[in-house]
Amino acid sequence: MRVGEVSRYMFDPCYAFRENGYPPLVPPEAVVEYEIELLSFVNEMTDAEKLMDAKAKKECANGKFKAQEWAEARQGYKDALRVIGKRAWRTGKPELDEEQSALRVQLLNNVAAVYFQEGDMKLAAEHCSEALALDPKNARALLRRGRALVALNEFEAAQADLLPLLDADPDNPDVHRAVDLLQQSRTRHCEKEKQMWGKALAAM
């Protein structure tokens, strides 16, 4: 936009008045149209403002995720990541730097969760790995990457993620289910390979 230009924008409820609406003018969960005139430019957002903006985008994307609107959720999480950047902050304010790092891990985990739901296990595993590069012991990332690696038939790598989780939290039902799936999938894969080689040898 240029100074003096007028544009119209449609805003999703999570960026407008959400479930409360604005009685009597705006009903709950309403899409809102704004007419905006650019009067002047302002300076770039502060680091604290960037965090607030990224958190708002994450919250909206969470709503899309719960509604199983995968593409919108994924885009929302990626938009939030773009706000705070891919690199670690060095602002001189440790609390801001730590908050940015923790938020990046959450967002990468959430992007991975969307890809997992969409069945793209390769990208799910890659985003978990990005999260683990920042937080090597993050249980959510380890569990989801382990499950994705099982789906990709990368059983040794999946085991390296899942068994330490089981040792650390032996009562966690999600980890137990993932380990059981690993064992079952590896057994089925081995049986299929035996059958394939058996047929190949018989045909020789």
Side-chain angles (χ1 to χ4, degrees), residues 98-164:
E98 291 172 7
E99 191 172 357
Q100 184 252 11
S101 180
L103 185 56
R104 284 168 66 209
V105 171
Q106 293 172 16
L107 290 167
L108 288 166
N109 262 328
N110 291 350
V111 174
V114 174
Y115 280 125
F116 192 94
Q117 292 293 335
E118 292 179 316
D120 194 331
M121 300 304 171
K122 185 174 184 296
L123 284 176
E126 288 177 1
H127 281 79
C128 287
S129 295
E130 287 189 52
L132 289 164
L134 300 170
D135 182 4
K137 295 184 179 180
N138 188 274
R140 287 180 62 197
L142 285 168
L143 177 58
R144 188 169 288 115
R145 186 173 71 175
R147 293 171 63 195
L149 291 170
V150 169
L152 293 168
N153 294 333
E154 297 182 24
F155 302 119
E156 295 303 318
Q159 180 172 298
D161 281 346
L162 296 174
L163 291 189

Side-chain angles (χ1 to χ4, degrees), residues 28-80:
E29 299 293 348
V31 174
V32 177
E33 180 180 353
Y34 285 94
E35 184 176 276
I36 298 175
E37 179 181 358
L38 182 60
L39 301 177
S40 63
F41 290 102
V42 296
N43 292 329
E44 184 181 356
M45 287 189 293
T46 66
D47 293 326
E49 288 169 340
K50 288 178 182 178
L51 284 172
M52 290 180 60
D53 186 38
K55 288 177 182 178
K57 286 178 167 59
K58 172 176 173 281
E59 184 178 346
C60 185
N62 286 344
K64 299 298 184 183
F65 187 93
K66 291 177 182 176
Q68 299 185 8
E69 298 174 8
W70 308 127
E72 291 85 352
R74 183 178 66 250
Q75 188 60 52
Y77 294 135
K78 288 188 175 184
D79 287 345

